[in-house]
Amino acid sequence: MAPPPPVRSTVERLDRPSAYYLNKNRRRRDRDDDRQEEPEAQPDPLADATTLYVGNLSFYTTEEQVYELFSKCGEIKRLVMGLDRFSKTPCGFCFVEYYTHQDALDCMKYIGGTKLDERVIRTDLDPGFEEGRQYGRGKSGGQVRDEYREDFDEGRGGVGRALQGGDERAYDEDGYR
C-alpha cells in the first residue's frame, strides 16, 4: 500500500519572500549562469526580518499618520518615509522597522490591505533598510509605477503620463476627463 500524498496547505505564508526579491535573485542567477557548480542554499533573509515595506501611500500621508496606525501592532524602532529623489517630497512608500519579527508579521496580517487616507496600503517584509533606498527609483525621482499610470489620481498626488506628455486636450484644468 502506497503512503498517502503529502497534504498541501492552501494558506500562504506571511513571511514568504516578496515577488521583487525573488525576481531580483532570479536575474542575478541568470547573469551568473556561467558557473558550473550548484550554489549553496542561501539562508532566507526574510526569516527574521523586522522591516516592512509599505506601498501605495498617498503623497499627502504624514509620518505621524503612519506611526499612529503601525504602532498598534508593536513598538516601532524606526520609520523612514520614501522621498522623491529630486524634490525631497513624499512619493508613496515608506519603511517601518519593528523590534521583533513577530510584530512585523502581525502588522502584515492585520494592517496590510487596510485603508489609510482613502488608499488601500500594501505591506511586505523587507530584508532591511539601507541608506539610499528611501528615494524613488523612477526616471523622475518618484515611483516607477507612477510613470506608467495614464489616469489622474488625486489621492496619490500625481497626474500620470497623459498630462505630463502633452495630452492635455483629454483633461480639464483639474485633471479630469
Side-chain angles (χ1 to χ4, degrees):
M1 182 170 185
V7 177
R8 289 184 48 179
S9 175
T10 58
V11 178
E12 292 185 33
R13 289 178 42 195
L14 290 177
D15 60 348
R16 71 185 196 286
S18 70
Y20 170 76
Y21 182 76
L22 291 174
N23 285 335
K24 185 170 91 172
N25 282 342
R26 186 175 303 133
R27 285 189 299 254
R28 187 175 294 144
R29 280 194 306 265
D30 292 343
R31 188 178 62 224
D32 298 334
D33 64 353
D34 56 351
R35 286 197 232 163
Q36 297 297 341
E37 72 259 8
E38 284 291 319
E40 295 179 20
Q42 298 288 332
D44 183 10
L46 301 178
D48 295 319
T50 59
T51 304
L52 285 178
Y53 168 84
V54 181
N56 203 32
L57 292 174
S58 168
F59 285 20
Y60 307 111
T61 301
T62 64
E63 264 186 70
E64 290 79 19
Q65 289 173 296
V66 174
Y67 192 89
E68 182 181 340
L69 177 63
F70 283 81
S71 63
K72 295 181 186 307
C73 288
E75 189 176 352
I76 295 177
K77 183 177 186 180
R78 179 168 61 162
L79 176 70
V80 180
M81 293 297 286
L83 301 174
D84 182 288
R85 184 175 300 280
F86 304 110
S87 66
K88 305 296 188 251
T89 58
C91 66
F93 71 96
C94 73
F95 295 95
V96 179
E97 188 175 350
Y98 287 98
Y99 284 99
T100 67
H101 178 65
Q102 189 59 48
D103 288 344
L105 290 178
D106 289 344
C107 183
M108 280 183 60
K109 183 177 181 182
Y110 297 116
I111 294 181
T114 61
K115 282 190 173 185
L116 179 61
D117 272 352
E118 299 301 317
R119 299 189 59 81
V120 176
I121 56 175
R122 301 177 318 144
T123 58
D124 206 355
L125 282 177
D126 193 81
F129 173 77
E130 296 169 3
E131 192 60 38
R133 289 188 65 202
Q134 73 268 31
Y135 299 117
R137 296 186 306 242
K139 291 180 199 171
S140 65
Q143 291 295 290
V144 175
R145 292 175 116 191
D146 293 337
E147 292 177 357
Y148 294 103
R149 196 174 65 240
E150 299 283 341
D151 59 331
F152 176 75
D153 189 351
E154 187 176 333
R156 183 76 170 158
V159 294
R161 182 172 54 175
L163 277 179
Q164 294 171 351
D167 191 15
E168 291 89 359
R169 59 183 161 64
Y171 298 89
D172 64 11
E173 63 275 358
D174 295 323
Y176 295 104
R177 285 186 184 256

